[in-house]
Structures are given as structure tokens and as C-alpha cells.
Amino acid sequence: MLIKKSSPWEIPYSEITPQSVYLSRRRFLTRTVAAGAALAAGRAVLPGWLSPTGAQAGTKLTGVTKSSYGTDEKITPYEHVTNYNNFYEFGTDKEQPAKLAKDFKTSPWTVAVEGEVAKPAVYDLDTILKLAPLEERIYRHRCVEAWSIVVPWIGFPLHALVKMVEPTAKAKFVAFQTLFDPKQMPVARHAGIPFPYVEGLRMDEAMHPLAILCVGMYGETLPNQNGAPFRLVVPWKYGFKSIKSIVKIRFQEKQPPATWNLATPNEYGFYSNVNPDVDHPRWSQKSERRLGEFLKRKTLPFNGYASQVSQLYAGMDLRKNY
Ligand code: MTE
């Protein structure tokens, strides 16, 4: 990422964690009470199997099942996860997306599925959401900038969508693309990276049960700054693989381009698996700071998901394929 300070270790704690850290508990309680009041007042509440496409960010999702996948680590307070974001279409400062994505139009929303599939189509989110029941997955999320969060995402396995569209034998990779609308994203022109934001996965990565397509978090539809209404979450990779606000999914034979790899190929590879043994050219990846915490913790290979995913990379030199 284009970090203005020379390394994340030099960012003062007060900047990484807004002063809300000491207020967060009180705000969280206020929010919970407010959510309860909204429910009592009949504000929109969606069963998990219904689409939130007509819903605003922050609409309660009900009927979401708890998944057996995920960590039981302490969840990062909502305030941190929604006020310290990377979403370069809405600014390069971490606090900007929460403010500048406020009026981002996320409804109606369609996703074009193209390329090497038997069923190419433009699907609306309602159709996609009927594919599989929504699950809550509490995942560690490790940003390449050496901070991390633990988030209760709501979504369904990416493989459910892959199976629905019936990839042909030629489909070796899946490419993803974010909406790019300069009218809604006027600050994007200062971001210094190409848009639309694009990402990709190898087919076997896309089929892995840990990879999810995500429509919500903390019991509600996604806030705009976190990638509403529909994003990817791949927990064993650095956060930049988890592309937000997806409008296109393309199945193809060739490895697709990935935004950060295009922007600075010597710093960001295609695979982007969390690897404490491969430093970023400008900083170490050995440890990370969890937002809201003071002490750093050790970064784990594949972000702690090695036992589930390392076999995908058997025989590969992960120092070269970073
Ligand atoms: N997707 C788009 N479209 N644009 C972005 O700038 N940033 C990535 C990823 N997805 C980004 C994106 C990076 S660098 C990270 S760390 C995560 O989103 C951050 O997700 P979060 O804001 O939900 O924590």
C-alpha cells in the first residue's frame, strides 16, 4: 500500500487506533441498545436467506447460522473495523472511506458472471443470495500493512457460486472486479493505483471452503466502507485480496491481473498468502498489531489457517510466489 510513513511500526498507536478505543465499549453498548430500539420500532430486519439488496448498510440480518469454521478469538470492536479502512476508491487515508462512502449507492446491485462458464449471466444479488444459507464466520483478517482485526463476517462459501455457474474445463482462475464510478468516487483519481480494482484467485483457492462471498458483518448488512453490498473474504491471504463491492466475476484460463501487483509488482505478488518469513521490501511481516490492542503479536503462516490451506501450495516456492 502507499504508506506515507516509512513503516507501520512508526505509526503512533493513537493514529492506528482512533481515540474511540477507550470509548468503544460505551459506544458499542449504545449501538446495541439503539439496534434493539430500531427492531422494536419495526426497522427493516431481513431473514438471512432473503436479499439485503433493497436494504441500507447496517440492516439487521436474521436467520444466520453459526459456522463451524472460524476462530474463537476476541472480536475486534465494530468502531475499529468500520473507521480504519482501505478502500482506495474512497480515499487513501484510513478514516476517509467511512466518511466518503456514506452515500455510495449499493442498491440495486448486479453481478456479471462471464467467461468460461456454462451459465454466464448478469445475476442480481437476490438470485445469488438464494444459493446458500448465510453463515457467520469469525475470521482473522491480516492487512499487508501489519495490522489485523477479527471480524464476524456474514456470507456463504464462494464455491456455491462457482458450482452454480458451471465452469468449463478451461476455467483455471477466477477474476473479480469492483464497481468504478468516478462520479461517486471523485477522490479515486488521487489514489495512485489503477481502477477498477481487480483481484483473482486460482480455481482451487476459489473452491476452498474458507473463501467466502460476504454480504454482512456484526449481524448486519455490510457498511459501505467495508465493501457493501457484496465482497470477497479470503482469510489466509493479505487483506488486499479481499476485494470489495464486486460487480464482475470472470472465469478464465489465464492468471488474471491483481491491482496491487499491477501497481507495484516488486512489493505485491499474485498469491499474497500471509507469510511471516517473506518481508515486505519496506517492512517486516513477522508481527502485527491488532486494532484496539497495544502489544504486537506474532504473525502466523497463512494467517493461522495453514493446516487447512497449505496443501494448496504443495511443491511451490512461497518465497518466489509471494
Ligand atoms: N477493495 C477495493 N475495491 N478497493 C480497495 O482499496 N483494499 C483492500 C481490500 N479490498 C481495497 C479492497 C485492502 S488493502 C484491505 S486491507 C481490505 O480491503 C480492507 O478491508 P476492510 O476495510 O473491510 O478491513
Side-chain angles (χ1 to χ4, degrees), residues 69-80:
Y69 291 99
T71 169
D72 53 8
E73 280 173 59
K74 185 170 161 274
I75 291 172
T76 305
Y78 180 88
E79 278 69 19
H80 299 320

Side-chain angles (χ1 to χ4, degrees), residues 1 80-82 84-91 94 97 141-145 147 149 151 153 177-179 185 193 195-199 217 222 225-227 231-233 238-246 259-260 291:
M1 312 297 106
H80 299 320
V81 175
T82 54
Y84 193 82
N85 300 102
N86 277 328
F87 199 167
Y88 273 45
E89 289 85 336
F90 295 105
K94 304 285 185 261
H141 181 78
R142 167 60 156 82
C143 182
V144 76
E145 294 163 304
W147 50 269
I149 47 184
V151 184
W153 302 110
Q177 187 176 310
T178 293
L179 178 85
M185 302 159 169
I193 59 172
F195 292 114
Y197 195 99
V198 290
E199 258 306 339
M217 58 188 222
L222 283 170
Q225 63 269 35
N226 291 92
R231 71 174 291 174
L232 181 69
V233 174
Y238 290 117
F240 64 89
K241 290 300 268 190
S242 293
I243 181 171
K244 296 176 169 178
S245 307
I246 297 167
T259 291
W260 281 101
L291 296 190

Side-chain angles (χ1 to χ4, degrees), residues 1-12 15 144-146 267-268 279-285:
M1 312 297 106
L2 309 173
I3 296 177
K4 289 176 197 146
K5 318 259 161 139
S6 53
S7 98
W9 318 120
E10 288 161 30
I11 301 172
E15 265 183 58
V144 76
E145 294 163 304
E267 297 188 339
Y268 307 107
D279 286 342
H280 186 280
R282 291 182 280 137
W283 60 83
S284 162
Q285 295 290 23

Side-chain angles (χ1 to χ4, degrees), residues 150-201:
V150 175
V151 184
W153 302 110
I154 297 171
F156 60 87
L158 168 58
H159 64 62
L161 180 134
V162 175
K163 284 176 195 151
M164 175 181 81
V165 300
E166 297 175 17
T168 70
K170 277 192 179 163
K172 303 281 189 280
F173 292 90
V174 191
F176 300 87
Q177 187 176 310
T178 293
L179 178 85
F180 182 51
D181 177 0
K183 281 207 187 86
Q184 294 195 77
M185 302 159 169
V187 294
R189 66 179 188 276
H190 306 299
I193 59 172
F195 292 114
Y197 195 99
V198 290
E199 258 306 339
L201 294 173

